[in-house]
Amino acid sequence: MDVLPLTDESYQKLFLRGYPTKLLIPVIVDTLTKDSDFNSQKQFLENTISLPLVKQYPLKIEYMQSLMKLIILELENKGLEVCNEFYETFFELTNTHAKSATHFKHYMLRESIEHCITIQESSNFIGEGTTGLHTWQASQALVNWCITHKFRLQNKCILELGSGVGLAGLAVSSECEPQTFWFSDCHPSVLGMLLSNVKVNVDREIDSKLSDTLEKDNFFKVSSFGMPNGVEENILYQGRMKNTSVYVMNLPWEDIPNLNISQGISPDIVLAADVVYDSTILESLCSALCHLVHKNCIAVVACTVRNEDTTKEFLEMLEKLHVSVEMEETTKFLEFLNLDEMPVRVYKLSRFNSS
């Protein structure tokens, strides 16, 4: 488990992404006991639970309830007075009985709340017959790799396979300046949540740029002119995030060779995270990667190694298809700490005959 020393400046970003309460409590309590009045306690509420962003897109209620309860108990056990706003906030959270099927997390990619990715995900690890409604550690490892190598993604066309709830693609579109980013998935429920997350973050960009007199819904239109047959019908959404054109498309892996994606979209880089989890899907995944990867296109795949045999089968299948695989190293950022003991490996895929 990777645990970095927490600071006063880091607790906000870790709270927003739902960092484990047992790791957050010590630094929060230390921060709250630095002054004898209630200023630090009130500042804590303003930076976390009372933040307008959290009010609009709330974290998991149970998480916020537990955090407030533990902080109050720690302060009381130290014989410190707790401000009324703390108790009022805790009671308000406690009286929120409705358990939502989804909640939000917010990933601060820089030191400002304005540079934040908002992600809605399922409150259950498995929902509606899929694990794709949840943010997994492999997608965070993929973001680490992309931010570390952002110079390789600038002005590139990027296609992501199995985008899930969209964390990696939104972070890359926001921070790595690709020319085009294609999100893709095929499960109906996953696509619905992916669309919602892309729109939330794109709309925030629009809101910061447009005047009240301009219709937001008319700012971006789906324009698939020039798209090859098959691709156009699969596009569900097009928008713009900073200087990156973003698309969301329904893309089953087994359809990739037939849709001629490598020529229609012409990706420079293919990304994928946590797609190597079941041996029954490896054939279609490897076939898709084999079709997409060529001398002008590499793939970067982040894998949580839950089963060594499955990972080995994936790598052997790629080798048979003449796809070269290299292990990549990534730098761990505070925003994307690995809290799971299962290892995550990042592989770079290219063709044997690539220059």
Side-chain angles (χ1 to χ4, degrees), residues 110-355:
R110 302 186 196 177
E111 296 305 315
S112 170
I113 197 69
E114 282 75 27
H115 298 280
C116 191
I117 299 296
T118 294
I119 297 291
Q120 182 184 25
E121 64 178 33
S122 173
S123 296
N124 302 310
F125 285 121
I126 299 178
E128 301 185 48
T130 178
T131 58
L133 298 172
H134 196 79
T135 301
W136 297 99
Q137 62 176 16
S139 64
Q140 299 181 25
L142 183 60
V143 173
N144 282 337
W145 185 92
C146 291
I147 291 178
T148 304
H149 300 88
K150 61 185 300 181
F151 65 94
R152 299 174 64 174
L153 280 65
Q154 289 175 341
N155 300 316
K156 301 297 186 182
C157 176
I158 301 175
L159 168 65
E160 184 181 22
L161 303 180
S163 297
V165 293
L167 172 62
L170 288 167
V172 168
S173 298
S174 173
E175 298 301 309
C176 299
E177 302 177 9
Q179 182 181 54
T180 308
F181 195 99
W182 291 82
F183 298 83
S184 75
D185 216 293
C186 64
H187 191 284
S189 297
V190 177
L191 281 170
M193 192 167 288
L194 173 61
L195 275 168
S196 176
N197 284 333
V198 172
K199 289 178 179 179
V200 163
N201 289 277
V202 168
D203 284 352
R204 186 183 298 151
E205 292 260 332
I206 299 172
D207 287 340
S208 67
K209 296 176 182 177
L210 300 186
S211 66
D212 295 335
T213 60
L214 192 57
E215 290 290 337
K216 180 193 301 183
D217 292 340
N218 293 327
F219 190 67
F220 290 128
K221 296 286 188 180
V222 172
S223 175
S224 51
F225 178 76
M227 294 292 175
N229 292 335
V231 174
E232 179 178 346
E233 290 83 351
N234 286 31
I235 298 174
L236 305 176
Y237 176 83
Q238 177 188 354
R240 196 162 185 84
M241 192 167 187
K242 295 188 176 177
N243 294 319
T244 300
S245 295
V246 296
Y247 296 81
V248 177
M249 70 182 306
N250 178 13
L251 186 62
W253 297 337
E254 57 269 22
D255 291 352
I256 287 176
N258 297 329
L259 291 175
N260 204 13
I261 295 295
S262 61
Q263 293 185 18
I265 296 177
S266 298
D268 301 298
I269 299 175
V270 175
L271 301 178
D274 221 348
V275 292
V276 182
Y277 56 86
D278 184 350
S279 59
T280 61
I281 55 90
L282 292 183
E283 184 175 353
S284 60
L285 172 61
C286 290
S287 176
L289 290 170
C290 180
H291 176 79
L292 292 166
V293 174
H294 52 79
K295 66 178 182 179
N296 296 318
C297 177
I298 66 167
V300 179
V301 182
C303 304
T304 300
V305 184
R306 300 180 179 87
N307 185 313
E308 287 283 2
D309 290 338
T310 304
T311 304
K312 182 180 178 182
E313 185 179 355
F314 170 66
L315 298 176
E316 290 176 346
M317 197 173 293
L318 289 173
E319 184 178 5
K320 291 178 181 178
L321 294 170
H322 306 290
V323 177
S324 175
V325 180
E326 299 176 59
M327 184 90 75
E328 292 282 291
E329 293 185 2
T330 63
T331 301
K332 293 179 174 63
F333 292 91
L334 184 60
E335 293 81 355
F336 298 102
L337 296 177
N338 177 16
L339 296 177
D340 198 312
E341 294 181 356
M342 287 186 292
V344 177
R345 299 172 190 161
V346 178
Y347 298 105
K348 183 179 73 174
L349 281 52
S350 58
R351 301 301 284 191
F352 282 134
N353 60 354
S354 62
S355 56

